[in-house]
């Protein structure tokens, strides 16, 4: 393992340990508070927004997704097709959800595949420059790259708790920078560059 990968792994483990240590009831309250920020995101009706089904101690983004749906957004969730490919399937009210692995659920194969223009992105750690450390498999980096190859530049809004911020994420050329992050402290925009 390279020194850079080892450092990322260490930062990931430390940030996730801090997140895991948060009181579960506090996490629920913080997740509900983040949902109230839906208006700050200024998502136009009809906009396709990808969310995610929370796993372990992640922010429960479902209240935020519900608020965005109420304002007219079309929602989708990630579906991992194989070891390298993730697509986004439409989340329709009342449609059954299936086990997606990693303790998550999502729309089944019959759901329409959509290309989101706004992506709510989970992460393990982030820094003040907009760099993130994911969970290590690279699914989001590859999915964002595929959207860009199609000519789409999705708006990337990370979702995390403040305790997941680190002083600096070591970045590599393939890493995708975030534009914004929503935490319990509110919506922050990262400087371009």
């Amino acid at each position: 393992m390279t020194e850079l990968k080892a450092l990322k792994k260490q930062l990931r483990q430390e940030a996730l340990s801090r997140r895991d240590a948060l009181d579960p009831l506090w996490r629920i309250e913080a997740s509900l508070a983040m949902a109230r920020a839906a208006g700050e995101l200024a998502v136009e009706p009809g906009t396709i927004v990808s969310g995610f089904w929370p796993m372990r101690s992640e922010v429960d983004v479902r209240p935020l997704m519900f608020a965005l749906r109420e304002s007219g957004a079309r929602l989708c969730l990630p579906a991992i097709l194989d070891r390298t490919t993730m697509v986004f399937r439409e989340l329709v009210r009342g449609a059954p959800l299936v086990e997606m692995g990693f303790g998550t659920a999502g729309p089944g194969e019959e759901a329409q595949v959509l290309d989101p223009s706004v992506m709510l992105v989970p992460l393990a750690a982030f820094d003040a420059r907009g760099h993130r450390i994911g969970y290590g498999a690279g699914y989001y980096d590859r999915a964002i790259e595929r959207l860009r190859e199609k000519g789409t530049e999705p708006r990337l809004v990370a979702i995390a708790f403040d305790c997941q911020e680190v002083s600096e994420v070591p970045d590599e050329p393939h890493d995708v920078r975030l534009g914004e992050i929503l935490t319990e402290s509110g919506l922050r925009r990262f400087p371009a560059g």
Side-chain angles (χ1 to χ4, degrees):
M1 183 184 302
T2 68
E3 189 176 317
L4 189 63
K5 292 207 183 305
L7 178 56
K8 279 187 171 183
K9 182 178 181 182
Q10 178 187 343
L11 291 171
R12 178 184 301 115
Q13 289 172 337
E14 291 170 357
L16 292 178
S17 291
R18 289 190 302 272
R19 188 183 77 186
D20 289 344
L22 294 172
D23 178 74
L25 292 177
W26 182 89
R27 283 197 310 257
I28 292 169
E29 290 299 322
S31 295
L32 292 172
M34 287 184 218
R36 290 191 285 276
E40 283 184 69
L41 292 175
V43 172
E44 296 292 321
T47 301
I48 299 172
V49 178
S50 69
F52 55 92
W53 199 266
M55 59 184 194
R56 298 187 301 269
S57 60
E58 280 183 331
V59 172
D60 187 347
V61 73
R62 292 173 293 186
L64 174 59
M65 290 169 48
F66 177 79
L68 292 170
R69 177 187 292 162
E70 291 302 300
S71 67
R74 286 179 72 188
L75 300 178
C76 53
L77 291 173
I80 295 174
L81 303 183
D82 56 43
R83 295 181 61 90
T84 62
T85 309
M86 182 171 76
V87 297
F88 298 91
R89 293 180 181 157
E90 186 167 21
L91 178 63
V92 177
R93 191 184 309 260
L97 299 177
V98 298
E99 173 64 35
M100 298 302 275
F102 305 104
T104 66
E109 293 179 6
E110 70 286 349
Q112 182 178 355
V113 173
L114 301 175
D115 290 337
S117 55
V118 175
M119 297 176 71
L120 305 180
V121 182
L123 52 77
F126 68 96
D127 69 18
R129 301 174 304 143
H131 291 274
R132 70 183 272 276
I133 298 175
Y135 293 110
Y139 285 110
Y140 273 88
D141 288 335
R142 287 188 300 275
I144 293 164
E145 184 59 33
R146 272 193 300 282
L147 289 169
R148 288 177 173 166
E149 287 170 0
K150 290 178 161 184
T152 302
E153 186 62 45
R155 177 181 171 196
L156 306 176
V157 182
I159 306 291
F161 294 112
D162 287 331
C163 70
Q164 293 172 253
E165 186 168 0
V166 298
S167 60
E168 186 174 343
V169 169
D171 53 292
E172 300 175 80
H174 68 270
D175 290 334
V176 175
R177 273 188 80 250
L178 302 163
E180 302 162 88
I181 189 164
L182 178 61
T183 70
E184 69 272 20
S185 296
L187 184 65
R188 284 173 39 194
R189 289 181 173 82
F190 294 113

